[in-house]
Amino acid sequence: MTTRATVDENPAAPTPAAPRARRGPYRRLPVEQRREQLIAVALELFSRHAPEEVSLDDVAAAAEASRPLVYRYFPGGKQQLYEAALKSAASELISRFVEPSEGSPTERLAHALDRYLSFVHEHAAGYGALLRGGSAVETHRTTAMVDEVRRAAFRSIVQHLEVADPGPRLGLLVRSWIAVVEATALTSLDEGDVGDVESLRDWLVDQFVAMFAVTALHDAQSAAVLRRLLAHYDGVGPGAKLIEGLGGLLLSEM
C-alpha cells in the first residue's frame, strides 16, 4: 500500500493522458460538417504557409481532431486534402460569376466584381491558396482548378458581351483584364492600401472600358461590339464618368 501511494503521489511519474488533455476532447461532428471543417482549416494553413510546410498533424491540431481522423476523410493524405481545399475555393469563386442579363454591361460587370471582391475578403485564405500556386505539391489537377476559375470568368464576360465567337484580340482583351483583376485582388490582400472595395470595383470597371476602347481602335470585332453595347447607354452606373470623358471616341465609326 505504501509503495502504491508513493508512486501515485510522485510528481515525476509518467502521465500518458496529459497530451490529450491539453488538446481537449475531440468534438463529434456530422460527417459532412467535419469534412468541411478540415477543408476550411487546411485552406487557412496553406494560405499562411507553403503547403509543403504544413503537416497533417498541423491540420489535425488546428481542427481539434486526430491524425487518424484526418486520414479517415482523406486517405490520400495531404495531397488529397490540398486538392479538396482548392476545389472548394474554386467552386465557390466560380459561382460568383453568375449574373442575370439585366442592366447595362458595366452594371453587370460591377455586380460580378462586387461578389468576386467579397469572396476575396471573406475567404482570403482560400483565394490566396488558390491563385498563388508555385508549391511543390502543385499538380496538373490543382493547375486545372485555377484555369477553370479563369475560364468561368471568361465565359461569363463573353456571354454578357453577347459574342458567340470572340476573335483573338477580343479574347486577349478579356483574359488580360481578368489577369488585372487577379493581381489587384492579391495586392489588396498583401498590402491592404489599394482603397475600399467600392472604389476598387469602379476602378476595375474603368480599366475594362479603357482597355476595350483601345482594343476597338485596333480590332473591327471589338469596335462593332463596343458600338452595339453603347448604342443605348443611358449615361449612369459604373464606368459612366470614363465613357462620358472619352466622348465621341467610343461611339464614332471606328
Side-chain angles (χ1 to χ4, degrees):
M1 295 296 292
T2 301
T3 302
R4 174 177 290 275
T6 301
V7 172
D8 289 345
E9 294 169 4
N10 184 355
T15 55
R20 178 168 293 186
R22 287 195 299 269
R23 183 199 296 265
Y26 298 142
R27 292 180 294 165
R28 299 181 66 85
L29 298 175
V31 172
E32 190 58 32
Q33 186 178 347
R34 173 63 80 181
R35 186 176 188 279
E36 291 176 358
Q37 181 212 23
L38 292 173
I39 289 175
V41 167
L43 277 173
E44 176 63 27
L45 293 174
F46 289 140
S47 177
R48 290 189 285 108
H49 307 280
E52 54 268 24
E53 296 176 359
V54 178
S55 69
L56 286 183
D57 287 331
D58 295 329
V59 176
E64 298 183 350
S66 66
R67 182 186 177 92
L69 182 63
V70 177
Y71 266 112
R72 184 185 307 170
Y73 286 90
F74 301 97
K78 187 171 72 173
Q79 183 64 45
Q80 184 182 3
L81 178 56
Y82 180 67
E83 292 178 8
L86 292 190
K87 183 177 181 180
S88 175
S91 296
E92 184 172 351
L93 188 53
I94 287 172
S95 72
R96 303 290 176 109
F97 300 137
V98 178
E99 174 65 25
S101 298
E102 301 174 358
S104 69
T106 55
E107 286 175 329
R108 281 177 261 159
L109 189 64
H111 293 160
L113 278 171
D114 280 336
R115 290 193 297 275
Y116 184 93
L117 294 174
S118 175
F119 176 92
V120 170
H121 291 281
E122 292 172 8
H123 305 82
Y127 185 87
L130 178 66
L131 291 183
R132 282 192 174 92
S135 167
V137 297
E138 189 174 6
T139 67
H140 69 280
R141 289 188 297 274
T142 59
T143 301
M145 292 176 201
V146 176
D147 288 342
E148 180 53 31
V149 172
R150 293 170 180 148
R151 284 194 293 270
F154 180 87
R155 290 192 299 267
S156 176
I157 294 172
V158 169
Q159 176 184 354
H160 288 295
L161 292 177
E162 300 178 5
V163 177
D165 186 21
R169 290 289 180 91
L170 183 55
L172 182 58
L173 157 67
V174 175
R175 291 186 176 91
S176 297
W177 182 76
I178 291 171
V180 170
V181 173
E182 287 183 7
T184 301
L186 287 173
T187 300
S188 71
L189 293 180
D190 293 339
E191 301 180 9
D193 60 353
V194 292
D196 60 81
V197 173
E198 184 175 349
S199 65
L200 195 61
R201 175 206 66 196
D202 290 346
W203 178 74
L204 287 169
V205 172
D206 282 352
Q207 285 279 342
F208 186 72
V209 173
M211 292 171 68
F212 212 134
V214 171
T215 304
L217 292 174
H218 298 269
D219 178 58
Q221 182 188 42
S222 300
V225 172
L226 189 57
R227 284 198 300 271
R228 172 171 51 78
L229 293 176
L230 298 180
H232 304 289
Y233 187 71
D234 58 10
V236 298
K241 184 176 181 180
L242 176 60
I243 293 172
E244 181 181 355
L246 290 173
L249 175 62
L250 298 182
L251 297 176
S252 64
E253 294 294 329
M254 292 175 284

